[in-house]
Amino acid sequence: MGEKVAAGAFDLSDRQRYRRKLQQCLAGLARLLDEKRFDRPRNLMGLEIELNLTGSDGLPRMMNAEVLERIASQDFQTELGMFNLEVNIAPHGLGGRVLDQLAEELRTGLNYAHRKANEVDAGIVMIGILPTLAQDDLVSSNLSAVDRYMLLNDQMVAARGEDFHLDIEGVERLTCTSASIAPEAACTSVQLHLQVTPGRFADVWNAAQAVAAAQIAVGANAPFLFGRELWRESRPPLFLQATDTRPPELQAQGVRPRTWFGERWITKPYDLFEENLRYFPALLPLCDDEEPLRVIEEGGVPALSELVLHNGTVYRWNRPVYGIADGVPHLRVENRVLPAGPTVTDVIANVAFYYGVVRALAEDSRPVWSRLPFESAAANFDAACRHGIDAELEWPRSARFGGVARVPAVDLVRNELLPLASAGLDAWGVAPVDRDYYLGVIEERCKLRVNGASWQVATFHRALESGLTREAALAATTRRYCELMHQGDPVHTWPVGVLPDAVAASG
């Protein structure tokens, strides 16, 4: 939801007009789909990473405006919390040495941003949830001073009508309340975009949904929140509860939450946009003057602004995106599953795994979603978030046996998904040297059962055993994470534990 919006109140007529405009936009989208007006295949992918700012003590620094002023690059933007930034990498064609090129661009950009942040005693950290965040850090006064965030917060609070309630039970249990959506800012992710034709959209989205659990299992990197050890990937339950506009009565009635895995496989892209209108009330009923059907009648391409804005307030883990480039409309699948980090190499390994396996699954003559119940895919996602690299997932058996079997995620990835990812990257035309290197990182994580979350947890407990308090252990773990992140070796090679001087300093 990157549009500039002006804060203000909405009345009943605003919402009624917006609902009418949404229906016009949906009709316009259907017309564009029927008339095959969308861009041809260009194998384009895009990448966004949300970042944290910390001080040398490992604690969050609420100063994204100052850091962005020093970075002075359009590639870096604000995010919800004052301790957040986002970096956007320009779209690339999938093929050749694109993976190494992405890695180099990311390293260059992040190193530059880190140097600039250092000028004001801050640093850049890629991590799913910053372990040192305290509940007092995530309050409305620490939301970025941007109209769209303020307005979104006001509308979500008004829609809920009471405090947001967080209750996450994992290794430990966290319960607390928040008067704003600020806890959502704790969740920092990697977002992967893939431009697809309407005819391929449903297959790609279904494939992305099917593989989401495996992405989380190998990539989990958010085991802590407010000093508690929760799920290995605590972002999804936190995001769901921090954006949940349903009071308990609506939850009891089965009303769908705005952060949503979904409930069915789809057959066409229209399905998702239509569901978003049918199930979710508007939060930001901002209308422009465009008449989308008239624009189409006159041979133009409508912006569908209301549809795009509404779509941005429904937080699917694989989100449909409508966009326009060079005057031609296109569709993208936005994969929002992965946490940020730990290193650039790890991020690009996750990128390679996703784009490879989704290509292979989407082109399979016996698609996985024809053999895997959607409920199993949703349960897999939950299991992977809870247990990370140690999760067990349901997956279709080979054709000879049929049915669904429960298998360790690491075995599923190594034995079935990595070969598919390799074939998919070949189909994209990715250079074999890059394919083998980055998929090799995923294989090593599986062999060693190590990802960002498992390293954080092991290091935290080692710090506790050395005599540090819980708060000091979380801070020492964060500082060591930052050091190793900037050194750049992939997380499966990181030594467990904090440095001896961290223990001595605490004493």
Side-chain angles (χ1 to χ4, degrees):
M1 195 191 67
E3 297 298 318
K4 296 278 186 185
V5 297
F10 304 112
D11 59 24
L12 293 177
S13 64
D14 292 323
R15 296 186 181 279
Q16 291 167 346
R17 181 175 176 235
Y18 189 78
R19 185 176 284 113
R20 288 194 298 271
K21 281 298 296 286
L22 278 176
Q23 292 300 331
Q24 292 170 20
C25 287
L26 192 62
L29 177 68
R31 177 89 174 265
L32 291 170
L33 289 166
D34 288 343
E35 295 179 2
K36 297 180 169 49
R37 296 275 296 276
F38 284 84
D39 198 3
R40 66 192 186 286
R42 292 201 290 171
N43 295 350
L44 281 179
M45 58 83 68
L47 175 63
E48 306 168 48
I49 305 178
E50 295 165 348
L51 309 165
N52 288 278
L53 293 172
T54 64
S56 56
D57 54 6
L59 301 180
R61 298 279 280 161
M62 305 294 170
M63 55 191 314
N64 60 2
E66 295 95 318
V67 172
L68 283 169
E69 186 176 357
R70 287 178 179 267
I71 293 173
S73 167
Q74 292 185 345
D75 292 341
F76 288 82
Q77 300 173 356
T78 55
E79 254 299 325
L80 182 62
M82 291 173 66
F83 60 96
N84 299 143
L85 301 176
E86 181 176 89
V87 60
N88 296 280
I89 301 300
H92 285 64
L94 270 163
R97 298 301 304 274
V98 65
L99 297 176
D100 246 18
Q101 184 182 352
L102 284 169
E104 184 58 31
E105 287 182 25
L106 264 180
R107 284 192 191 96
T108 300
L110 292 177
N111 288 341
Y112 170 74
H114 187 60
R115 288 196 306 272
K116 289 299 181 180
N118 286 167
E119 295 175 5
V120 288
D121 190 28
I124 301 291
V125 187
M126 288 195 299
I127 195 166
I129 295 175
L130 193 63
T132 50
L133 280 170
Q135 192 175 345
D136 289 345
D137 294 320
L138 293 173
V139 293
S140 57
S141 58
N142 284 335
L143 293 175
S144 295
V146 177
D147 281 346
R148 68 178 181 271
Y149 299 137
M150 301 298 185
L151 183 56
L152 182 65
N153 178 67
D154 292 346
Q155 294 302 305
M156 294 189 89
V157 169
R160 183 170 174 86
E162 59 189 77
D163 285 353
F164 294 88
H165 184 60
L166 304 183
D167 187 351
I168 305 173
E169 185 165 11
V171 177
E172 300 174 301
R173 185 174 184 180
L174 171 71
T175 59
C176 62
T177 59
S178 173
S180 74
I181 64 169
E184 178 197 335
C187 306
T188 42
S189 65
V190 172
Q191 290 145 32
L192 304 177
H193 291 253
L194 180 61
Q195 183 178 324
V196 292
T197 60
R200 297 296 294 157
F201 185 97
D203 290 346
V204 170
W205 187 86
N206 289 339
Q209 289 284 96
V211 81
Q215 286 181 273
I216 287 286
V218 297
N221 196 26
F224 299 108
L225 177 65
F226 299 163
R228 297 286 193 275
E229 182 183 343
L230 302 175
W231 296 11
R232 288 302 183 254
E233 186 56 42
S234 303
R235 286 167 42 256
L238 171 58
F239 207 106
L240 186 154
Q241 294 178 22
T243 61
D244 199 345
T245 54
R246 307 169 302 164
E249 295 81 4
L250 292 185
Q251 295 180 36
Q253 292 174 35
V255 172
R256 296 159 181 83
R258 298 191 85 93
T259 298
W260 199 34
F261 187 79
E263 60 192 18
R264 63 184 177 117
W265 306 116
I266 64 167
T267 58
K268 55 188 181 301
Y270 180 89
D271 294 349
L272 298 178
F273 291 98
E274 188 276 333
E275 276 187 350
N276 285 356
L277 268 63
R278 180 155 42 102
Y279 293 146
F280 302 105
L283 286 177
L284 303 171
L286 298 162
C287 293
D288 66 18
D289 295 328
E290 178 183 76
E291 297 182 38
L293 295 175
R294 176 178 290 183
V295 170
I296 294 171
E297 289 286 351
E298 294 173 353
V301 176
L304 305 184
S305 300
E306 293 82 7
L307 186 69
V308 170
L309 180 60
H310 181 66
N311 195 58
T313 65
V314 179
Y315 304 102
R316 293 179 183 271
W317 294 107
N318 285 290
R319 174 189 275 167
V321 178
Y322 169 88
I324 301 172
D326 301 322
V328 182
H330 67 262
L331 293 173
R332 304 193 303 274
V333 174
E334 180 190 19
N335 178 262
R336 303 159 50 81
V337 167
L338 290 165
T343 66
V344 169
T345 297
D346 288 303
V347 168
I348 301 303
N350 292 339
V351 167
F353 178 67
Y354 170 74
Y355 285 114
V357 77
V358 163
R359 171 77 183 252
L361 289 176
E363 296 182 348
D364 195 331
S365 59
R366 292 186 68 237
V368 65
W369 54 94
S370 70
R371 297 176 287 135
L372 182 71
F374 192 91
E375 294 75 13
S376 295
N380 284 348
F381 185 71
D382 186 78
C385 291
R386 287 178 182 273
H387 304 295
I389 201 84
D390 296 319
E392 292 190 348
L393 308 178
E394 293 184 358
W395 199 254
R397 299 176 188 267
S398 64
R400 195 172 102 189
F401 299 102
V404 172
R406 181 176 293 277
V407 296
V410 291
D411 293 345
L412 174 65
V413 171
R414 290 182 66 189
N415 298 334
E416 186 160 349
L417 298 184
L418 277 174
L420 286 172
S422 182
L425 292 178
D426 286 346
W428 288 120
V430 168
V433 63
D434 288 358
R435 174 202 67 200
D436 293 344
Y437 175 69
Y438 289 107
L439 293 184
V441 170
I442 303 295
E443 183 170 18
E444 287 301 309
R445 285 190 215 154
C446 292
K447 280 183 184 176
L448 300 172
R449 288 182 177 258
V450 171
N451 58 19
S454 69
W455 182 90
Q456 287 187 58
V457 168
T459 295
F460 167 71
H461 284 286
R462 185 78 59 85
L464 286 179
E465 291 163 5
S466 72
L468 293 183
T469 65
R470 174 177 284 256
E471 187 175 337
L474 287 168
T477 298
T478 302
R479 292 194 300 273
R480 183 62 170 150
Y481 178 102
C482 294
E483 179 185 354
L484 293 168
M485 185 204 89
H486 287 289
Q487 288 178 9
D489 294 328
V491 72
H492 70 266
T493 68
W494 290 7
V496 169
V498 300
L499 295 179
D501 60 350
V503 179
S506 74

